[in-house]
Amino acid sequence: MIVVLKPGMLASVQDLGRHGHRQRGICPGGALDTLALTMANRLVGNPDEAAGLELTMGGCELRFDTATRIALAGDDFGAQLDGMPIWPCWSVPVQAGQTLKLVGANVAAGKKGMRTWLAVAGGIDVPPVLGSRSTDLKAGFGGLAGRALKKGDRLPLGAPALNSAQLARRRFGVRPPEWAIDVRDFGEAIPLRVMLGPESGLFTPASLAAMSREPWRITPQSNRMGSRLEGLVLERKRAGDMLSSGVIPGTIQVPPSGQPIILMGDAQTTGGYPRIAVVIRADLWKLAQAPLGGMLRLVQVDAAEALQAWALQQRHLLQMTQGLAVSGWPVPPTAAPQPAVSSD
């Protein structure tokens, strides 16, 4: 059992998402950074789809009433277990009665951050809804009563796959992921690789060129539904309405203001704004961790580059899992590469 002493700004139960229900208007939701949650789950012996906690901007405190094992992945919020530092991508044993504290964003190591994900051995055992334990904050179902966590909440844990010796094994860590595009190549802006969308032809050539050339700021009006960007106005060749079309996480829509919105996990399933581009699946984790007020650059790539980036990410997960298996750590049967394109 986990007792929420302080929930922080926004904490919720999330797994890999509620898939296969778009025809009912139900978004997949789930952890905004599925890579981070997957890594954390494997570090505590869970199946990839086990539910964990998505913690926003730190500032939370959790007490563990039973001995277990935990792992964090995502932004570093200066986590401490009874005063002992815990770093992302480390698997750590927890004794009954210990308290996990996460310092707020912009404090830990002088870094900015947005979200981190906590996995606990056995997973968060709330009742599944439509095949998922994820919280749909917009619709108000799933997770714990369909809402963000609050002080005093008690979260049940499932039966861990780890035995007593594995639960108590001394802490260990794995290498965090590193990929081809380095933030340092772009100054302070985080690079997001994108492919042109189906309505990109509605925009002027100058706007299409500027989309990749100019930086974009993430505004405070952003949330789990989408990141609203501020920068150069993207102009269409001519005004006019269009029929609503299907959208997925990563879709970049441009409303009449000319300021783009990048849709995220809790976004609607259809939209009526032109889809100028889409963030490649391998880079969605960067958007999930990008801080409010942070800067982005949209880097245009083709399908071959997008598939290569996804393969590189999956290779990192495979190498991590193979390393865990060699060390005697249990590897769940679901620890297999994910497809580059979602089935939704």
Side-chain angles (χ1 to χ4, degrees), residues 309-341:
W310 182 251
L312 185 63
Q313 187 176 106
Q314 292 301 297
R315 185 159 59 247
H316 176 89
L317 280 174
L318 178 61
Q319 291 172 344
M320 184 196 86
T321 305
Q322 290 173 335
L324 291 174
V326 168
S327 70
W329 199 245
V331 177
T334 54
Q338 298 180 44
V341 180

Side-chain angles (χ1 to χ4, degrees), residues 137-155:
L137 296 168
K138 179 178 59 176
F141 64 83
L144 189 67
R147 58 167 173 78
L149 301 182
K150 61 183 181 182
K151 182 177 180 180
D153 280 342
R154 301 175 67 85
L155 299 169

Side-chain angles (χ1 to χ4, degrees), residues 13 15 38 44 47 53-54 68 80 94 97 100 102 128 134 140 147 168 170 174 185 205 211 220 269 274 283 323:
V13 178
D15 58 20
T38 297
V44 296
L53 296 183
E54 183 173 282
T68 186
Q80 296 182 352
V94 176
L100 176 70
L102 274 70
S134 284
R147 58 167 173 78
R170 68 178 183 178
V174 298
D185 295 337
M211 179 182 70
T269 57
D283 277 7

Side-chain angles (χ1 to χ4, degrees), residues 256-330:
S257 66
Q259 300 293 276
I261 302 170
I262 308 181
L263 302 184
M264 300 183 73
D266 281 359
Q268 72 279 9
T269 57
T270 62
Y273 298 140
R275 300 163 294 180
I276 192 172
V278 62
V279 179
I280 67 171
R281 190 176 182 188
D283 277 7
L284 286 177
W285 69 275
K286 297 180 184 180
L287 186 62
Q289 296 185 30
L292 298 178
M295 302 300 293
L296 302 175
R297 281 193 184 274
L298 306 179
V299 183
Q300 188 176 332
V301 297
D302 59 22
E305 291 172 291
L307 290 171
Q308 183 181 29
W310 182 251
L312 185 63
Q313 187 176 106
Q314 292 301 297
R315 185 159 59 247
H316 176 89
L317 280 174
L318 178 61
Q319 291 172 344
M320 184 196 86
T321 305
Q322 290 173 335
L324 291 174
V326 168
S327 70
W329 199 245

Side-chain angles (χ1 to χ4, degrees), residues 29-73:
L32 294 183
D33 185 347
T34 56
L35 171 68
L37 181 59
T38 297
M39 292 183 67
N41 269 327
R42 294 186 187 185
L43 284 168
V44 296
N46 288 344
D48 291 353
E49 65 270 17
L53 296 183
E54 183 173 282
L55 307 171
T56 305
M57 299 182 73
C60 69
E61 294 185 22
L62 306 170
R63 188 182 73 234
F64 298 87
D65 283 355
T66 53
T68 186
R69 195 169 189 96
I70 64 173
L72 289 162

